[in-house]
């Protein structure tokens, strides 16, 4: 096994902690996020105070209320948690690119290649905790290990606000030796039940009879369980940028077909802004822009163009509009824009256009999109006439401003 150093970070009672942070009256109280007690729903998470009553994730809200009637019940605010999660991602990415993000509040960081730069995994772990406390006013638990399994075990070991290091494989096995078999990754509820029924309750029971386990679960799965119980974990972290979708797009079908290519251009302007925002949130840059047009006779064409990697809405918009210029002008029923060819860093090339200096017209377009968003929120406009009307309003507003 190659020597690796992995950090697993997991936020403490994530949704609940964000709500408590933003409303100090909730501090020290049992807070349950999911639904209100008289509504249908399940518990997403509960503060550690609420957990004392036995409330936990995935529990029916009625059951939670029975256990903890004094609890404060709140709906989740996913938009807010996503924004906080994005900030966490940015912090984590300062220490390695080999980062795998799970759910909103969890990450595996392979810091093997970062140790020289930062000194040690312990320093990185402490720094991450400090920054999450200072920049976000939240706590997390950090686990350090030589594998994904040992790092995850370590982050759970000292929760909440934890910090725990598994030194090596020997240390890990000594820690899990007397634990229930369910501590092993790959051993879910059903597998644990099957193991228990056959008399294997603890990790040490598995280690004492590896052949029997392989027989019970077959050579591939059985061996994987035995290896995990022995602290052998070959899994590699899949960096976030390799797990990303291959493309991100948006399209609209019109209620009525349109031959007005100015309207289509306006849609592409809005799509460019929307998609640029999306890829920025994922810390990605795109290299390919594709415009799709479906005509009223259902015939569809796509036009693609490769560009210097970018996350700028101006660059995406410029390419999209050039592509639109090149398609035959006939009545259209659908317009779409797709970004692909993602990378995690901006691959800069020396260019000899004025690509990097934004033209006045581009600035003006940015203002238009901004004004549209101010007026309509991030929502896209459903019809061409609505869009045109809003562009007109915007022009009018600009004119007034100039006169004032
Ligand atoms: P977890 O990290 O599993 O839980 P947690 O952060 O609330 O608590 P801790 O890690 O301290 O034990 O999940 C992260 C968030 O994901 C959690 O705050 C809410 C959400 N979630 C659900 O919506 N449903 C679920 O069943 C689980 C487990 C989590
Ligand atoms: Mg968590």
């Amino acid at each position: 096994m190659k020597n690796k150093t992995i950090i697993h970070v997991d936020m403490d009672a994530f949704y609940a902690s964000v709500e408590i942070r933003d409303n100090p009256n909730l501090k020290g109280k049992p807070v349950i996020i999911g639904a209100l007690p008289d509504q249908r729903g399940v518990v997403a998470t509960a503060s550690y105070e609420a957990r004392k009553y036995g409330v936990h994730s995935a529990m029916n809200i009625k059951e939670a209320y029975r256990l903890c009637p004094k609890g404060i019940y709140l709906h989740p605010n996913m938009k807010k948690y996503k924004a906080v999660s994005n900030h966490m991602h940015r912090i984590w990415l300062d220490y390695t690119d080999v980062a795998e993000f799970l759910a909103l509040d969890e990450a595996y960081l392979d810091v093997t290649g970062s140790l020289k730069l930062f000194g040690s995994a312990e320093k990185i772990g402490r720094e991450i905790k400090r920054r999450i406390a200072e920049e976000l006013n939240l706590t997390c638990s950090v686990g350090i290990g030589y594998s994904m399994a040992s790092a995850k075990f370590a982050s759970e070991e000292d929760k909440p606000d934890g910090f725990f290091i598994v030194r090596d494989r020997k240390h890990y096995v000594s820690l899990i030796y007397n634990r229930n078999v369910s501590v092993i990754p790959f051993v879910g509820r059903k597998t644990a039940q099957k193991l228990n029924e056959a008399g294997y309750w603890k990790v040490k029971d598995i280690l004492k009879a590896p052949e029997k386990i392989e027989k019970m679960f077959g050579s591939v799965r059985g061996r994987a369980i035995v290896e995990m119980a022995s602290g052998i974990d070959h899994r590699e972290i899949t960096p976030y940028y390799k797990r990303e979708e291959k493309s991100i797009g948006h399209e609209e079908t019109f209620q009525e077909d349109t031959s007005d290519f100015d309207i289509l251009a306006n849609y592409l302007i809005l799509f460019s802004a929307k998609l640029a925002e999306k890829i920025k949130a994922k810390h990605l840059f795109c290299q390919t822009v594709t415009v799709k047009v479906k005509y009223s006779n259902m015939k569809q064409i796509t036009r693609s163009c490769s560009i210097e990697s970018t996350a700028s809405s101006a660059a995406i918009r410029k390419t999209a509009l050039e592509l639109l210029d090149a398609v035959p002008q006939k009545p259209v029923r659908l317009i779409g824009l797709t970004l692909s060819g993602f990378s995690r860093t901006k691959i800069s090339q020396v260019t000899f256009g004025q690509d990097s200096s934004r033209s006045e017209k581009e600035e003006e377009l940015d203002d238009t999109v901004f004004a549209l968003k101010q007026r309509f929120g991030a929502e896209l406009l459903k019809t061409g006439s609505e869009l045109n009307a809003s562009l007109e309003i915007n022009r009018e507003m600009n004119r007034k401003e100039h006169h004032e």
Side-chain angles (χ1 to χ4, degrees):
M1 227 173 354
K2 264 192 293 176
N3 272 340
K4 277 189 293 195
T5 307
I6 311 280
I7 295 181
H8 182 256
V9 200
D10 187 295
M11 303 300 288
D12 303 318
F14 183 47
Y15 297 0
S17 304
V18 173
E19 296 304 338
I20 294 165
R21 175 194 74 175
D22 294 347
N23 180 358
N25 290 332
L26 302 177
K27 209 168 176 196
K29 301 205 172 120
V31 174
I32 293 137
I33 312 290
L36 305 184
D38 58 350
Q39 294 173 332
R40 285 167 66 141
V42 289
V43 175
T45 194
S47 67
Y48 278 76
E49 286 80 4
R51 293 184 198 194
K52 288 184 198 143
Y53 296 84
V55 177
H56 59 75
S57 294
M59 175 182 269
N60 191 297
I61 215 82
K62 297 263 180 318
E63 170 71 359
Y65 188 65
R66 199 181 58 75
L67 292 169
C68 187
K70 285 202 182 119
I72 293 157
Y73 291 78
L74 300 170
H75 284 293
N77 180 345
M78 296 311 298
K79 214 170 161 188
K80 181 152 80 170
Y81 312 145
K82 276 216 175 97
V84 177
S85 174
N86 272 335
H87 190 134
M88 276 137 48
H89 289 186
R90 282 199 295 277
I91 293 179
W92 297 335
L93 286 171
D94 279 346
Y95 302 95
T96 179
D97 277 336
V98 192
E100 185 170 332
F101 303 135
L102 292 106
L104 283 183
D105 82 325
E106 212 184 310
Y108 286 100
L109 311 173
D110 186 333
V111 294
T112 316
S114 325
L115 297 178
K116 264 206 193 115
L117 185 60
F118 294 101
S120 67
E122 181 164 357
K123 274 196 182 147
I124 297 174
R126 294 273 179 214
E127 176 122 348
I128 285 174
K129 278 180 74 73
R130 181 185 61 74
R131 285 185 61 190
I132 285 183
E134 284 179 13
E135 294 173 29
L136 288 165
N137 202 7
L138 292 169
T139 65
C140 64
S141 294
V142 165
I144 299 174
Y146 64 93
S147 62
M148 289 174 80
S150 58
K152 168 119 175 138
F153 175 89
S155 80
E156 281 167 4
E157 194 57 7
D158 193 28
K159 238 179 191 310
D161 201 10
F163 192 87
F164 192 89
I165 301 174
V166 174
R167 290 188 303 276
D168 51 27
R169 189 176 147 203
K170 202 168 149 209
H171 185 204
Y172 179 57
V173 175
S174 76
L175 289 164
I176 62 170
Y177 196 69
N178 278 309
R179 302 282 176 100
N180 192 286
V181 291
S182 58
V183 77
I184 304 170
F186 304 164
V187 176
R189 201 169 44 84
K190 278 195 180 151
T191 311
Q193 203 179 341
K194 200 168 165 189
L195 283 163
N196 294 165
E197 279 163 11
Y200 302 99
W201 291 90
K202 301 207 159 155
V203 173
K204 65 179 172 193
D205 301 331
I206 291 177
L207 291 175
K208 283 176 190 160
E211 302 85 9
K212 287 194 179 139
I213 302 294
E214 284 186 26
K215 245 193 197 149
M216 232 169 106
F217 291 94
S219 61
V220 176
R221 187 162 164 69
R223 189 164 306 151
I225 292 172
V226 172
E227 281 194 348
M228 278 289 174
S230 325
I232 300 169
D233 179 5
H234 293 299
R235 288 175 301 164
E236 298 271 344
I237 286 172
T238 315
Y240 69 100
Y241 51 89
K242 288 199 178 152
R243 289 168 66 95
E244 283 300 333
E245 307 94 302
K246 294 246 177 329
S247 67
I248 296 178
H250 193 86
E251 57 184 45
E252 287 283 325
T253 304
F254 305 121
Q255 281 155 19
E256 283 169 36
D257 297 347
T258 179
S259 307
D260 185 342
F261 269 55
D262 285 343
I263 290 181
L264 299 180
N266 287 337
Y267 271 90
L268 289 180
I269 292 169
L270 285 183
F271 293 175
S272 302
K274 187 184 168 93
L275 296 178
E277 242 170 54
K278 265 197 181 171
I279 64 169
K280 269 184 204 141
K282 290 171 185 275
H283 323 287
L284 291 172
F285 299 91
C286 74
Q287 274 184 293
T288 306
V289 175
T290 304
V291 167
K292 175 163 112 181
V293 171
K294 199 187 258 184
Y295 292 106
S296 53
N297 63 0
M298 297 303 274
K299 263 209 167 152
Q300 179 179 306
I301 58 167
T302 57
R303 293 285 181 268
S304 292
C305 182
S306 289
I307 52 171
E308 188 177 345
S309 67
T310 187
S312 133
S313 68
I316 294 166
R317 183 175 64 223
K318 183 169 172 279
T319 312
L321 294 179
E322 280 168 10
L323 289 169
L324 182 69
D325 267 348
V327 308
Q329 301 211 355
K330 292 182 291 184
V332 168
R333 59 176 279 126
L334 174 150
I335 178 95
L337 180 67
T338 301
L339 309 179
S340 56
F342 297 130
S343 61
R344 73 204 139 99
T345 45
K346 191 163 165 49
I347 305 158
S348 37
Q349 294 160 358
V350 183
T351 51
F352 32 88
Q354 349 82 321
D355 269 1
S356 49
S357 66
R358 289 151 49 86
S359 70
E360 251 178 63
K361 200 165 172 215
E362 278 175 350
E363 299 283 357
E364 193 190 307
L365 280 169
D366 252 358
D367 291 345
T368 308
V369 171
F370 180 75
L372 284 172
K373 282 169 96 188
Q374 293 284 90
R375 200 172 135 70
F376 295 98
E379 283 302 305
L380 284 166
L381 306 159
K382 282 282 169 231
T383 66
S385 49
E386 250 182 322
L387 185 70
N388 263 355
S390 58
L391 283 172
E392 196 44 55
I393 291 165
N394 184 55
R395 273 185 219 119
E396 189 61 33
M397 275 167 23
N398 280 346
R399 266 200 292 275
K400 274 195 187 143
E401 269 167 30
H402 284 296
H403 285 296
E404 269 163 17

